[in-house]
Amino acid sequence: MVTVPQDHGVEVDSVSFQVRAQKFRVAAMIMKRTRTPVATEFATRLVHLVKGIRLDDMAGFFDFEPSETKVLLEDVLGTGLVSERNGQLVLSERGQDALSPSTDTLDLYEVEELVTTISFDLAAFAPVEESKLNPREARIVEELKLPDREKAAAAAKAAENAFELHFHEWRQRYGRRAWDEETRLHSIDDVQSIATFPAVFQMPVRWRSGDMAAVEADFSELAGKGRAGSRNALISALSTRLKDFAAPSDHAVAFELVSELDGGVFRRDGVRSTQEVSSWADLCGSIQDRALPHPAEPGLRVIGSTATTAVRAALLDWTQSIGGAQTATKAPVFWLPPESPSWGRSLPFASLAAALSTAHASDDGTVLLARTRDAAGPDKFWSKLYGPTGSLSAVFDRCLAVPAMELPNALELIVKPGSWAFVLVHAPDPATGYPFPLGYITAARAIVDRFSYQVAELASKADGTRAIAWHRSKEDAHAALAMIDEALGIGVA
């Protein structure tokens, strides 16, 4: 995957990764440029041009008063650039070093002690800001494997080299106002590790149209930081990981099922299969075409995962804006994820799930329908990432373990029975294979009821209270299951 401009293309995903980082204390010496008065600099240059000029000749050249001449000579000698030998003035060794042979200008620097802290990611050893993840986010967001573990193990030595390499980037961010572009690093005396923390990197994944249409990760913001190429090792590691993200293989089956349930709405306007993702994306780009036609209205076409801005707006804003009978039904929101290891591992997803739970708290919140292959009990994977642990509250209010293969793995459903249904088919991008979710949200009652029935059929095959992985604190598994059955009409004649 390559970098594309941030303002180009349609967002189809937003990915987050933790990268191990370390904070270091650095003791160093810097060289700071100093400014000399014009007369002092001119006098020093005169000493350079007129070898062995005498004090009296210097005074006569400037035609100063005796008191002014005395001050000037004291200033010249005080710089350490000029020495006096038997009444003659000559450049000292420092003066020879400070004088540019090409321009005859004086480049003067003072050495100053520096003690500071700086943090580097352990993938590219480039400067990073300290990140703060809450414990739940720290569990959800995947940690990236470091490309060079040996280098990371010798982090203090690598940090010394990194501070030298990135000194000017550090100076621009944290340096003092008195330090200009010519302030340079003189030496590094000591580097000590202080702490380790997770640095968080978040990148949009975009679809760009045209002759070379493809889904690509956008690393432009990361690539634009600091020295050119300074984050290449990190970008390469991220890109390699993203190449492993793939859509479930049964996406065509999921497309056929959705098309059957919605009466062919999915197939309209030139979209005949999951190979037509670009046509669906084009429809989503037009305000007029984005609206679903009869009999699916009111509704909107969407593209992108549940970590994207567009999907967040559909689930939170659009569902509130439709009003009326569509939102009057009191029922929880049921969420069936696709079977994909990359699903639900980003910060925007965590934010959306929490917001959706809060928005429908008065309607019994949210229920995660966790695809589970182990008939003996819910998969621990779901509980670890999204369930309550210790003092951590759950991302979803309840979790019901359901048979993994009852519905296509590529299908994602979010349904509020009696109100609205959100459906995504996780298709592959034809060019890269990266998941390219396409679907819609609708409040058309007939279509909502059909998807609600699919959810009810799935939930009815769960293994009773044993399938309740977690529930609200003020209820037990029996009460949670009863609420789910009632909301979905399970057991109602």
Side-chain angles (χ1 to χ4, degrees), residues 395-441:
V395 176
F396 299 90
D397 296 283
R398 300 174 185 84
C399 177
L400 178 69
V402 296
M405 302 300 292
E406 286 297 317
L407 289 173
N409 293 329
L411 179 65
E412 180 171 8
L413 286 177
I414 308 176
V415 177
K416 181 174 170 62
S419 297
W420 50 264
F422 176 89
V423 54
L424 282 180
V425 173
H426 289 251
D429 170 52
T432 64
Y434 193 90
F436 194 142
L438 64 157
Y440 55 79
I441 188 169

Side-chain angles (χ1 to χ4, degrees), residues 381-402:
F381 167 84
W382 299 105
S383 296
K384 179 181 177 180
L385 293 183
Y386 310 112
T389 306
S391 60
L392 294 179
S393 60
V395 176
F396 299 90
D397 296 283
R398 300 174 185 84
C399 177
L400 178 69
V402 296

Side-chain angles (χ1 to χ4, degrees), residues 10-75:
V10 179
E11 184 184 35
V12 298
D13 201 3
S14 180
V15 294
S16 306
F17 288 95
Q18 299 182 58
V19 179
R20 204 179 316 159
Q22 271 188 271
K23 185 177 183 179
F24 300 90
R25 177 187 176 275
V26 179
M29 302 296 289
I30 64 167
M31 294 188 298
K32 182 178 65 174
R33 186 178 178 86
T34 61
R35 304 297 179 187
T36 58
V38 175
T40 303
E41 182 175 349
F42 194 85
T44 305
R45 192 176 297 132
L46 183 64
V47 171
H48 167 61
L49 296 174
V50 182
K51 308 299 183 183
I53 188 172
R54 301 185 64 81
L55 294 173
D56 294 343
D57 295 334
M58 172 75 78
F61 180 85
F62 283 99
D63 194 24
F64 283 173
E65 296 293 329
S67 59
E68 295 174 321
T69 302
K70 181 180 179 181
V71 172
L72 174 62
L73 293 176
E74 289 177 350
D75 288 345

Side-chain angles (χ1 to χ4, degrees), residues 98-391:
L99 194 65
S100 171
S102 59
T103 63
D104 273 349
T105 58
L106 290 170
D107 296 326
L108 303 181
Y109 291 88
E110 292 179 350
V111 178
E112 180 179 322
E113 184 177 0
L114 169 68
V115 178
T116 188
T117 58
I118 186 170
S119 299
F120 298 109
D121 73 80
L122 300 187
F125 276 88
V128 292
E129 300 289 343
E130 289 190 57
S131 305
K132 291 185 178 180
L133 290 176
N134 64 46
R136 174 61 65 198
E137 292 170 337
R139 291 193 176 191
I140 288 178
V141 178
E142 177 184 342
E143 182 175 346
L144 186 73
K145 292 182 178 179
L146 297 177
D148 190 339
R149 293 192 176 187
E150 291 185 4
K151 184 177 181 180
K157 180 60 180 177
E160 181 177 335
N161 297 331
F163 186 72
E164 182 176 0
L165 181 66
H166 299 289
F167 175 76
H168 285 289
E169 180 181 345
W170 174 87
R171 178 191 56 75
Q172 289 173 347
R173 286 189 184 183
Y174 308 108
R176 302 170 191 168
R177 292 183 179 179
W179 296 353
D180 59 18
E181 290 290 334
E182 297 180 1
T183 300
R184 62 187 68 172
L185 183 65
H186 180 266
S187 62
I188 299 176
D189 300 324
D190 186 54
V191 176
Q192 296 291 332
S193 176
I194 297 177
T196 300
F197 64 91
V200 180
F201 295 90
Q202 186 168 313
M203 294 76 56
V205 179
R206 304 183 190 279
W207 174 79
R208 58 173 172 80
S209 58
D211 295 336
M212 302 294 290
V215 170
E216 298 174 329
D218 182 353
F219 297 117
S220 56
E221 181 178 357
L222 188 57
K225 292 183 177 180
R227 294 169 58 100
S230 62
R231 272 74 176 177
N232 281 356
L234 175 58
I235 292 173
S236 177
L238 291 167
S239 181
T240 298
R241 179 67 186 99
L242 291 177
K243 288 177 182 177
D244 293 334
F245 287 13
S249 60
D250 61 357
H251 49 87
V253 177
F255 182 89
E256 293 298 329
L257 175 62
V258 173
S259 298
E260 177 183 347
L261 293 173
D262 66 17
V265 173
F266 215 3
R267 292 182 177 277
R268 293 194 179 184
D269 300 310
V271 182
R272 298 175 297 276
S273 70
T274 52
Q275 297 297 313
E276 309 290 341
V277 290
S278 60
S279 298
W280 192 265
D282 290 338
L283 291 169
C284 293
S286 165
I287 295 178
Q288 180 178 357
D289 293 336
R290 191 182 308 158
L292 286 176
H294 180 78
E297 56 187 355
L300 294 175
R301 291 183 171 96
V302 294
I303 58 171
S305 74
T306 47
T308 61
T309 303
V311 170
R312 180 186 180 91
L315 287 171
L316 297 180
D317 301 335
W318 184 84
T319 55
Q320 295 299 314
S321 69
I322 57 175
Q326 289 90 350
T327 58
T329 304
K330 178 178 171 62
V333 172
F334 292 88
W335 194 328
L336 173 70
E339 189 166 90
S340 171
S342 62
W343 178 87
R345 303 300 301 273
S346 69
L347 293 178
F349 165 83
S351 173
L352 170 63
L356 198 62
S357 175
T358 302
H360 295 275
S362 61
D363 288 356
D364 288 322
T366 54
V367 178
L368 173 64
L369 301 173
R371 296 177 186 260
T372 306
R373 296 180 181 276
D374 183 4
D379 196 325
K380 293 181 180 179
F381 167 84
W382 299 105
S383 296
K384 179 181 177 180
L385 293 183
Y386 310 112
T389 306
S391 60

Side-chain angles (χ1 to χ4, degrees), residues 466-490:
R466 296 178 62 189
I468 299 293
W470 68 82
H471 48 76
R472 284 180 167 175
S473 59
K474 295 182 179 181
E475 65 186 10
D476 57 20
H478 292 280
L481 187 62
M483 183 279 302
I484 291 172
D485 288 347
E486 181 181 0
L488 294 175
I490 298 175

